[in-house]
Amino acid sequence: MAVIDPVLLFGLALAAGAPLALSPLATALGAALAAAALRRRAGRAALAAAGVALVVSGLRARALLDGAGTAYDGALALLHPPARCEVACAVVGSPVVIGAAQQRSAAAREVDDEPPASRIDVELSGGTCGGRALPGPLRARLYGAPVDLARGDRLEVTVDLAPIHLFRNEGLRDGSAAIARSGIVASGTIVEARRTSEGRSIGAAVDRARAFVRGRIEATFHPDAVALGRALVLGETDLAPEDQDAFRESGLAHLLAVSGTHLVLAVAGFAAALRAILVRVGPIAARWDAGRITAALCVPAAWLYADFAGGGGSAMRAAAMLSCAMGARLLGLRPVGVRCFALSLAGAAAVDPLVAWDLSFGLSAAATAGLLWLQRPLAALLVPGEGERGDGGAEGGSSPRELARKVLAPLATTLAAMFGCTPLLLMNGETFPLLGVAANVVAAPIGELAALPFCLAHAVLSWAPPVERGCALVGSGALLAVRAVARASADTGVVLRLPEPSPAQLAALAAAIAIAWAAERRGRRLAALAAGAAAWLLLEGVATRAGAPRGVLRVNVLDVGQGDAILIDLPEGGAMLVDAGGFVGSPVDTGARVLRPLLRSRRRARLDVVVLSHPHPDHFGGLPATVEGVEVGEFWDTGQGEAEGAGPVYRKLLSDLRRRGVPIVRPASLCGRPRVLSGATIEVLAPCPELHPDRGANDNSFVLRIRYGARSALLVGDAEHEAEDALVARYGAALRADLLKVGHHGSRTSTGAALLAAVDPSIAAVSSGVRNRFGHPSPEVLSRLSAGGVAIARTDRGGALTWETDGERVLWSRPGEPPRPAPGLRGRGAAAGHAPENGGP
């Protein structure tokens, strides 16, 4: 009976600290099931040590997350509203070139006279922000920095700074983990910078080497291959959006990542060159083992190269695994792949208990696990008799079996790595590439045998310009060929759209794998895997049910920054979306970043109604990405955008919806006729009976009242005082609602005393962003709400609001919090036996 390596068990337990901190119940249950299955193969001592490691790592991860929350709250207090800071800072992260300028050659940039810029991570200390003294060190990510900076450089900068967006929404991953790992709580654009001293550390030397190689890539590579070359050599993944999508959807993104294969090839080349030199030096060859000297020098070389290549999780994990192998060689031992893999996990998790949050680390570890445990079985399955060769039979190298082996063995390797990565790919992308295996079979040899070696050689050949240019030519051609394969594969659209696995499903998968591995008979292994598949499907049903609850009205006022987005789960399982946020001129697409992942996690493939409250970008900017791939029943639009022109994004949105046959419904068809939609009553109160031509877009916002039983929510878009006064005059006390979505992000031009008295809400949701410069929400509005005993839920403080009612009882919650009764319920609910409760956010 095979015994599990105790170091592997220990390393897996340490790496599971992040899942335990983020999803404690599912992770603990999965770990308990796995431990029960492995008890005969691991021993009590190993299991006890693994259990202690899991708990300690989970507690460390939780402490880091809590500390990140505290640090972020400090940044909110200092930088709301965003402030201009004049501060001193030290560079703590390698500069990374950003933007479109770096994708052109140096010659083209000289013509444009547009200097390149970079992104740097810094620690601010000393100075002022918005006239207030910086209270202590603060880490920030700054854009627009010179590209020749390095770690350890000290600067004096003037920068426009704001807290980073976390987009805290129930069902999406906790953004505080990124803060806990990096310490970055703010970001901004440099207005002016002056370097006061240069760093003298090894990291600074690595960064200057990176800058030099980056310059040579831009000077010698084909312009279309510059970004690809930087990604492969320097780990700067700043591809054009269409290329990012193509590599992701084709399953070829790993070919541009600094992977284990990448690092092994680079260090192996260094080792071969070094050994060739050492064996020719007589005194050294006579007295010492050149192989051991080479192994000793390869350990620091691996870590230096991993740092040079961007210091990503995959590179660092590969450096740790390679260091283990070289250490064994140094000690005269035979390296064991599983043990080196285990040590790489344990070491990384001991240093960073949240390392499992790092996607590149997770994909690297998962692919390595697939290769270690699945490659041989898959090879035997694809090529019957594989592993039985070696008899020197008459068939020789040209036999059909040998030919099949040469063709199918790489396929087995690709499948093994892809199977290992599948759960993580599903967690981080909407599609799984069905042609990924074929694309890898075609592109992997080009990438690994041509692009990678020639690009790496190019990095050290600046002293031989003709050879350097030759390597650049071949490397560029190979990279462009890989890109062509990625685009061709992505263009087929042959992908499988799958929901994001829930924590419970991932825990069930881990437990099933452990049980199958521990089983002694093939039949029991298959039964364990079948049981795991059944549990996965059962939990999928649970997740689907949770995403579309029955018998309740659930209003989700989402955190999309400075904008509105409200997802409404209707009592009979339908769904309605009002707005989708959006930032003018920002690369952040709230539809792709928030709405689409949220719909995917909730298993929502249809929206019965999508409403655009009014045609402003902070309400429609995220709609195109949101409705892409989602069935839409109707689209409600005031029509003002078409009448007055709301820009190309709005026009294309309507054009695409019409092309798909989605009805565009206007106020004339909606006003005065309450509609029952999936069990809830929807009333359109404004603009009725049609648009008011003398009002702006804000005061022509759709105003919706959504009722279920005795409870209701009032959504007023960006309506300001003029529209509010008209509402009060027309409807009076009929505006009563338990939840008020405050107008215009809490602006002082909205939520007047008359409207507030008529609505008399118990909870008010304010959709505003941490980076808004308008002073939203206004202190006047907050004061009026507080004076009325209204609980205030701000999306810039605590994230999204979930408000839920069964028609009588009302519950509300914020991300990471359990639901609790709404404070101070008014109206029929209190009269029916629900005592009012005092409380606030």
Side-chain angles (χ1 to χ4, degrees):
M1 180 174 64
V3 177
I4 188 171
D5 188 325
V7 180
L8 176 61
L9 195 62
F10 188 78
L12 290 171
L14 281 178
L20 182 64
L22 294 164
S23 304
L25 182 60
T27 304
L29 183 57
L33 290 173
L38 297 172
R39 67 186 185 280
R40 295 180 59 195
R41 296 201 175 200
R44 292 183 179 178
L47 285 175
V52 171
L54 175 63
V55 172
V56 170
S57 185
L59 291 173
R60 289 181 63 207
R62 186 69 261 168
L64 286 173
L65 292 171
D66 292 342
T70 301
Y72 187 69
D73 289 343
L76 286 177
L78 176 69
L79 301 173
H80 186 76
R84 173 155 292 189
C85 301
E86 296 178 348
V87 290
C89 66
V91 180
V92 296
S94 297
V96 176
V97 169
I98 56 154
Q102 83 284 357
Q103 296 184 28
R104 299 191 297 271
S105 67
R109 213 169 35 238
E110 288 175 3
V111 172
D112 292 344
D113 195 27
E114 181 182 348
S118 71
R119 181 194 76 205
I120 56 172
D121 293 344
V122 301
E123 183 167 285
L124 309 178
S125 58
T128 61
C129 285
R132 292 176 291 176
L134 190 69
L138 182 146
R139 289 207 169 191
R141 178 160 291 171
L142 305 184
Y143 295 83
V147 297
D148 61 346
L149 295 177
R151 280 169 288 181
D153 286 359
R154 298 199 63 83
L155 312 171
E156 290 182 352
V157 297
T158 300
V159 57
D160 291 325
L161 205 61
I164 62 172
H165 285 297
L166 285 187
F167 300 116
R168 290 174 285 190
N169 295 280
E170 195 66 46
L172 297 185
R173 274 165 286 168
D174 188 353
S176 61
I179 295 177
R181 299 190 70 239
S182 68
I184 304 297
V185 294
S187 65
T189 303
I190 292 176
V191 177
E192 185 178 359
R194 182 175 69 88
R195 180 161 46 193
T196 57
S197 66
E198 292 188 353
R200 301 295 181 185
S201 65
I202 293 176
V206 169
D207 287 344
R208 294 189 175 96
R210 282 169 54 84
F212 177 79
V213 171
R214 184 188 299 118
R216 297 312 304 158
I217 290 174
E218 294 180 342
T220 57
F221 271 51
H222 187 280
D224 291 340
V226 167
L228 301 172
R230 289 189 304 101
L232 185 65
V233 177
L234 302 173
E236 295 182 346
T237 52
D238 187 38
L239 305 182
E242 59 271 20
D243 286 340
Q244 288 180 339
D245 293 340
F247 276 93
R248 183 184 66 251
E249 294 174 7
S250 64
L252 297 178
H254 66 94
L255 291 181
L256 294 183
V258 183
S259 62
T261 302
H262 185 151
L263 189 127
V264 167
L265 182 60
V267 176
F270 168 76
L274 182 61
R275 182 180 174 85
I277 293 172
L278 291 177
V279 296
R280 286 169 172 77
V281 179
I284 294 178
R287 298 184 60 185
W288 292 289
D289 182 343
R292 289 192 176 185
I293 297 175
T294 301
L297 294 176
C298 279
V299 172
W303 290 102
L304 282 172
Y305 182 72
D307 188 35
F308 173 84
S314 61
M316 291 300 182
R317 194 208 62 79
M321 196 167 174
L322 189 62
S323 296
C324 173
M326 291 296 177
R329 173 70 181 87
L330 181 61
L331 297 174
L333 303 175
R334 186 175 70 88
V336 179
V338 172
R339 176 62 61 84
C340 290
F341 174 66
L343 288 172
S344 72
L345 292 181
V351 173
D352 178 7
L354 287 167
V355 71
W357 186 261
D358 187 317
L359 176 60
S360 66
F361 177 89
L363 289 174
S364 172
T368 302
L371 292 172
L372 287 172
W373 283 285
L374 296 178
Q375 198 273 338
R376 285 189 179 180
L378 287 173
L381 181 65
L382 293 174
V383 188
E386 176 69 8
E388 299 176 5
R389 297 177 301 108
D391 57 2
E395 291 180 337
S398 60
S399 69
R401 175 176 292 181
E402 183 66 17
L403 182 61
R405 186 190 69 81
K406 291 180 178 180
V407 173
L408 295 176
L411 179 60
T413 300
T414 298
L415 284 171
M418 287 190 69
F419 284 159
C421 293
T422 295
L424 290 177
L425 291 174
L426 292 178
M427 287 180 65
N428 292 277
E430 299 178 9
T431 59
F432 184 78
L434 291 179
L435 295 181
V437 174
N440 271 277
V441 169
V442 174
I446 302 173
E448 295 177 358
L449 300 179
L452 181 55
F454 280 96
C455 288
L456 292 178
H458 170 273
V460 296
L461 286 172
S462 60
W463 52 272
V467 182
E468 181 195 39
R469 287 194 296 271
C471 286
L473 180 63
V474 176
S476 295
L479 287 170
L480 293 176
V482 170
R483 186 182 72 170
V485 175
R487 288 182 172 181
S489 176
D491 287 345
T492 64
V494 183
V495 296
L496 187 62
R497 294 187 179 274
L498 295 171
E500 179 181 350
S502 67
Q505 286 175 309
L506 293 174
L509 175 65
I513 291 173
I515 295 170
W517 187 88
E520 298 179 14
R521 298 178 183 176
R522 182 178 181 183
R524 291 183 178 179
R525 291 175 182 171
L526 292 177
L529 293 176
W536 183 286
L537 293 175
L538 177 63
L539 292 168
E540 180 62 25
V542 172
T544 301
R545 179 83 177 180
R550 301 298 179 113
V552 297
L553 172 68
R554 186 168 65 186
V555 178
N556 308 271
V557 181
L558 303 176
D559 178 6
V560 290
Q562 183 66 11
D564 271 16
I566 305 167
L567 177 64
I568 303 162
D569 298 307
L570 302 169
E572 294 178 1
M576 180 176 181
L577 176 68
V578 181
D579 297 329
F583 303 115
V584 178
S586 169
V588 177
D589 185 331
T590 53
R593 177 73 176 271
V594 178
L595 272 299
R596 207 161 64 197
L598 187 66
L599 292 174
R600 180 171 175 251
S601 73
R602 297 189 180 186
R603 279 64 177 165
R604 288 285 192 188
R606 173 182 168 84
L607 293 168
D608 295 273
V609 172
V610 174
V611 181
L612 173 58
S613 66
H614 63 291
H616 280 170
D618 57 332
H619 294 254
F620 68 68
L623 279 174
T626 301
V627 301
E628 180 183 347
V630 175
E631 182 183 355
V632 177
E634 294 180 351
F635 184 77
W636 296 3
D637 178 39
T638 64
Q640 192 166 12
E642 282 195 309
E644 299 180 3
V649 175
Y650 171 83
R651 288 197 302 272
K652 186 175 186 304
L653 171 66
L654 291 192
S655 174
D656 288 347
L657 289 170
R658 288 188 173 114
R659 178 179 49 80
R660 292 166 55 181
V662 177
I664 310 295
V665 186
R666 296 283 161 72
S669 303
L670 297 168
C671 292
R673 300 189 307 173
R675 296 182 55 176
V676 176
L677 182 65
S678 193
T681 301
I682 315 294
E683 300 171 86
V684 176
L685 306 182
C688 289
E690 58 187 11
L691 281 174
H692 298 273
D694 57 337
R695 295 181 187 173
N698 284 352
D699 276 326
N700 268 316
S701 292
F702 270 125
V703 176
L704 307 178
R705 188 168 185 261
I706 305 171
R707 293 189 287 115
Y708 182 53
R711 300 299 170 193
S712 61
L714 185 69
L715 315 179
V716 299
D718 276 2
E720 299 183 89
H721 288 324
E722 183 179 2
E724 290 179 356
D725 292 343
L727 285 168
V728 172
R730 181 171 184 177
Y731 297 103
L735 291 172
R736 243 288 304 143
D738 302 284
L739 169 68
L740 171 65
K741 200 293 295 182
V742 168
H744 201 193
H745 320 292
S747 165
R748 60 182 178 82
T749 62
S750 301
T751 320
L755 178 76
L756 196 55
V759 179
D760 191 25
S762 58
I763 299 176
V766 183
S767 183
S768 58
V770 297
R771 301 176 72 89
N772 87 82
R773 298 180 178 276
F774 311 109
H776 296 163
S778 162
E780 301 169 27
V781 170
L782 296 178
S783 178
R784 276 197 293 271
L785 291 169
S786 296
V790 182
I792 304 169
R794 296 169 52 175
T795 59
D796 65 341
R797 297 288 192 274
L801 165 70
T802 300
W803 180 91
E804 181 178 300
T805 181
D806 60 4
E808 290 288 344
R809 193 166 58 101
V810 174
L811 299 175
W812 70 314
S813 63
R814 312 300 297 274
E817 299 177 357
R820 58 190 186 272
L825 284 179
R826 278 85 158 171
R828 283 178 50 192
H834 296 277
E837 301 182 33
N838 294 321

